[in-house]
Amino acid sequence: DNQTLEVRPAGGWVVLSPMTGVVVEVYVKVGDDVAEGDVLIIIEAMKMNNELRAQRAGSVRELHVQAGQRVESGMSLLALQ
């Protein structure tokens, strides 16, 4: 899995975009609980849809993107707690 997690001092994790592309779908909203392996966001890059899955269980604390938004590699997509 080439998805990147950045650890925050407050005990949360920031999901960073592993690629440049366009957000096709966002499956979570702030306050949602997610389990390890849940699909969080789909990013389209080079005509392929890439599922970004939760690498651990948590709660969505912040959401930084929406469907239709262009993202760059390394950009913060959401924060889990």
Side-chain angles (χ1 to χ4, degrees), residues 1-3 15-19 38-43 50-54 77:
D1 197 345
N2 61 357
Q3 181 176 336
V15 178
L16 304 177
S17 180
M19 66 200 71
D38 284 357
V39 177
L40 304 172
I41 293 175
I42 293 182
I43 295 178
N50 301 277
E51 294 180 339
L52 300 187
R53 296 180 177 269
L77 303 175

Side-chain angles (χ1 to χ4, degrees), residues 11-77:
W13 300 273
V14 177
V15 178
L16 304 177
S17 180
M19 66 200 71
T20 299
V22 175
V23 175
V24 176
E25 193 137 7
V26 178
Y27 287 101
V28 294
K29 61 186 183 307
V30 172
D32 283 357
D33 289 327
V34 297
E36 184 177 339
D38 284 357
V39 177
L40 304 172
I41 293 175
I42 293 182
I43 295 178
E44 180 186 318
M46 296 183 290
K47 299 188 179 176
M48 289 183 57
N49 285 348
N50 301 277
E51 294 180 339
L52 300 187
R53 296 180 177 269
Q55 293 184 334
R56 57 188 53 167
S59 177
V60 179
R61 189 176 66 214
E62 302 167 15
L63 188 58
H64 304 143
V65 295
Q66 59 190 7
Q69 183 175 341
R70 181 165 179 77
V71 295
E72 301 296 325
S73 180
M75 183 176 168
S76 174
L77 303 175

